[in-house]
Structure formats: C-alpha cells, structure tokens
C-alpha cells in the first residue's frame, strides 16, 4: 500500500497539467451564468487557484496557466457540440487552449505577477493574429504588382537583423509597439542565452518581424525600445521610431521623455536608478525601391 502511494506521487510529477484562469472580474461574472460554475467571489477564486498551483508545485508537477476566455469557450462548445454548463467541457477547453493559445508556466510567482504575465501573453498573441490578418489584406503594389506583405516581411526581417547587430552584447529586452489600421500591436523579444553572438530567441524574433511588417505594409506608426543589461548588471535604454518603412533613432532626450513621463497623466516620473538613457543607434537603410 505504501509503495502504491509512493508510485502514485511519482506518477503525478510526470504528468503536466493546465489551469484555466478567469483573470478579470468581468470574465468571472460571465461564467456565473452557468449553474455548474460554483464560485461566487472573484478574489476568493483567485486565492483558491493560487492554492492549487502551489500544491501542484510542491508535488513537483509542472503546470501551465491559460487565459480562460468565456466568449471563446462558448464558441468552442458550439463548434464541437458540447454542453457549456459542464465542468468536463471547461476542462477540455482549458486543455486545448493551453496547448494552442497563450499560456504562462507557473514557477511560484504570486497571483499579482501571474495575472499581468498572462494578460501580456494574450495581448501578444492577439497582436500576432491581427498582424497576420493585416498583411494578408495588404494587397499588391499598384506599380510593380508585388505582394505588399512579401515586401514588408522581407524588409522587416532585414530590420530585425540590423537592430540585433546594433544592440550588441548583453541581455536584450526589446519591445515593439505599432498602431496599424487602428489596431494596437505589440511584440516582445528577448535575446537568446547566451547572447553571443547577439541574436533574439527565434519565436520572439519572428513575432517582432511580423508586427513590424504589419506596420510597414500599412504605413503604421510606432517604435521600438530596447533595454540592454550588461555583464556588470548596468542597464541602458535606447529607442527608435517607425517612419517610412524603417526605424529612425530617437534622441537621448526623446528616450528619456518616453520613459520618464506618465503615459496616462503626462506627469514627469523619476528616472530608474542604475538605468542610462541613450539615443538609438542609426540602422543602415537599404536602397530605396518599390514598397520602400
């Protein structure tokens, strides 16, 4: 009997798990219309989910946390002929969404860190989908007949390569924000470990390329900010503005203003200790041509 219990505990450690999280109160309220959903307080629900995650971590189990989207769940059930007012249907939705959609690995982080991480992952996933849709609808150039998407992707790939070279050594954290055809798009890229020679992680670099390409193809606005952590732990921040299908460097003053201004109120913010703000490095621009 003791051996059986021990084997069961060891087996649980070999089984990955997925948890669907209703991250905000509105989504939580939407699920309360199902009689089989027995939770009635969002704050208490978050505490209970955190307890489950901690218990699984204590047992050595690996868990991913996926964003539970009530409208997406309703569509999922309708497409598969499932009863939505059922814990089994919710479990199936979580298993499939964790495998295919944005998810965050649980590593002991508290809920007030886990929720923003999950929302950020979902926002980046939506950005990739929107960017792909915008590129698919970009059409052909009136002058040469070339697909705008193909030209924009090629240019964005070159742009990411030259940006990576300009960033140089150190751990990189790159954020691109683009407003294209009314859609806010965001991509976050980090350098591979070890970052020598400098390169971005392949999935991150591809997401950065896709978002920049959508901006280029649709004449969108936006920019890129890169935070570099050196071997001594010091951090520096540089920035670029997306303009005419390329990234133009921001000045030191512009980078400082962007980081030290409250985006909501416009009030000044104190600079971060140990962080230097510098101008973006000029990126060699290719020869001008069609779609350029």
């Amino acid at each position: 009997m003791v051996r059986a219990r021990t084997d069961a505990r060891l087996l649980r450690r070999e089984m990955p798990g997925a948890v669907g999280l209703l991250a905000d109160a509105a989504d939580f309220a939407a699920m309360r219309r199902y009689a089989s959903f027995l939770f009635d307080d969002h704050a208490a629900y978050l505490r209970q989910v955190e307890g489950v995650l901690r218990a699984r971590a204590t047992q050595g189990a690996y868990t991913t946390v996926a964003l539970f989207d009530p409208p997406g769940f309703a569509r999922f059930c309708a497409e598969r002929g499932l009863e939505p007012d059922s814990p089994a249907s919710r479990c199936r939705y979580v298993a499939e969404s964790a495998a295919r959609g944005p998810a965050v690995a649980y590593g002991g982080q508290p809920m007030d860190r886990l929720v923003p991480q999950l929302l950020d992952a979902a926002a980046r996933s939506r950005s990739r989908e929107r960017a792909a849709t915008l590129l698919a609808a970009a059409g052909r150039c009136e002058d040469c007949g070339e697909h705008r998407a193909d030209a924009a992707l090629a240019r964005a790939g070159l742009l990411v390569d030259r940006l990576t070279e300009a960033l140089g050594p150190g751990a990189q954290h790159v954020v691109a924000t683009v407003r294209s055809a009314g859609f806010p798009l965001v991509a976050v890229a980090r350098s591979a470990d070890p970052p020598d020679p400098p390169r971005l992680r392949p999935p991150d670099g591809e997401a950065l390329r896709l978002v920049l390409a959508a901006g280029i193809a649709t004449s969108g606005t936006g920019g890129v900010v890169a935070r570099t952590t050196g071997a001594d732990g010091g951090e520096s921040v540089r920035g670029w503005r997306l303009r005419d299908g390329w990234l133009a460097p921001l000045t030191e003053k512009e980078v400082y203003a962007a980081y030290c201004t409250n985006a909501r109120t416009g009030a000044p913010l104190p600079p971060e200790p140990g962080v230097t703000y510098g101008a973006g490095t000029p990126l060699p621009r290719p020869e001008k041509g069609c779609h350029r």
Side-chain angles (χ1 to χ4, degrees):
M1 179 66 74
V2 173
R3 174 62 183 271
R5 287 199 297 268
T6 300
D7 287 347
R9 285 196 297 268
L10 292 174
L11 188 58
R12 281 196 293 271
R13 288 164 47 184
E14 302 294 327
M15 293 182 175
V19 171
L21 183 67
L22 293 158
D24 63 52
D27 285 345
F28 180 85
M31 291 303 294
R32 292 193 62 202
R33 66 191 176 101
Y34 299 118
S36 62
F37 185 78
L38 303 178
F39 302 96
D40 58 10
D41 181 87
H42 188 233
Y45 159 83
L46 291 176
R47 290 194 297 271
Q48 289 162 349
V49 172
E50 187 169 20
V52 170
L53 293 171
R54 287 179 176 172
R56 286 184 54 81
T58 299
Q59 296 166 359
Y62 178 85
T63 309
T64 56
V65 183
L67 191 66
F68 196 104
D69 174 48
F73 170 65
R75 290 192 299 271
F76 174 87
C77 290
E79 290 168 359
R80 289 162 177 76
L82 300 175
E83 168 55 57
D85 198 355
S86 163
S89 297
R90 292 194 289 273
C91 287
R92 182 172 168 181
Y93 171 72
V94 169
E96 295 198 24
S97 61
R100 297 183 305 175
V104 172
Y106 179 71
Q109 63 269 53
M111 191 60 68
D112 60 0
R113 281 184 53 208
L114 179 62
V115 168
Q117 288 174 348
L118 189 56
L119 293 176
D120 285 347
R124 293 197 296 272
S125 178
R126 287 193 297 270
S127 291
R128 290 192 296 271
E129 292 172 359
R130 287 172 177 169
T133 299
L134 289 168
L135 286 169
R140 293 178 179 269
C141 174
E142 294 84 352
D143 296 327
C144 70
E146 184 180 3
H147 283 288
R148 294 183 187 277
D150 293 340
L153 285 166
R155 168 158 283 226
L158 178 61
L159 189 50
V160 170
D161 289 342
R162 293 193 175 173
L163 175 65
T164 305
E165 292 171 3
L167 292 176
Q172 308 294 344
H173 184 271
V174 183
V175 179
T177 54
V178 174
R179 178 162 288 277
S180 179
F183 291 110
L185 306 176
V186 61
V188 178
R190 295 173 178 83
S191 57
D193 187 21
D196 186 22
R199 63 188 181 91
L200 300 177
R201 297 173 185 172
D204 292 355
E206 181 56 30
L208 185 63
R209 173 175 172 259
L210 190 63
V211 165
L212 289 173
I216 292 169
T218 61
S219 300
T221 60
V224 169
V225 172
R227 180 184 290 253
T228 303
T229 303
D232 60 356
E235 293 186 321
S236 61
V237 175
R238 289 167 285 176
W240 293 260
R241 178 185 292 109
L242 184 62
R243 174 185 291 169
D244 298 329
W246 199 249
L247 288 177
L250 296 175
T251 66
E252 179 181 341
K253 184 177 179 180
E254 288 172 326
V255 173
Y256 181 89
Y259 260 80
C260 299
T261 302
N262 186 307
R264 184 173 59 84
T265 66
L269 296 172
E272 296 180 63
V275 176
T276 59
Y277 303 89
T281 305
L283 306 178
R285 187 179 184 120
E287 291 185 7
K288 209 169 181 64
C290 196
H291 299 331
R292 302 299 191 267

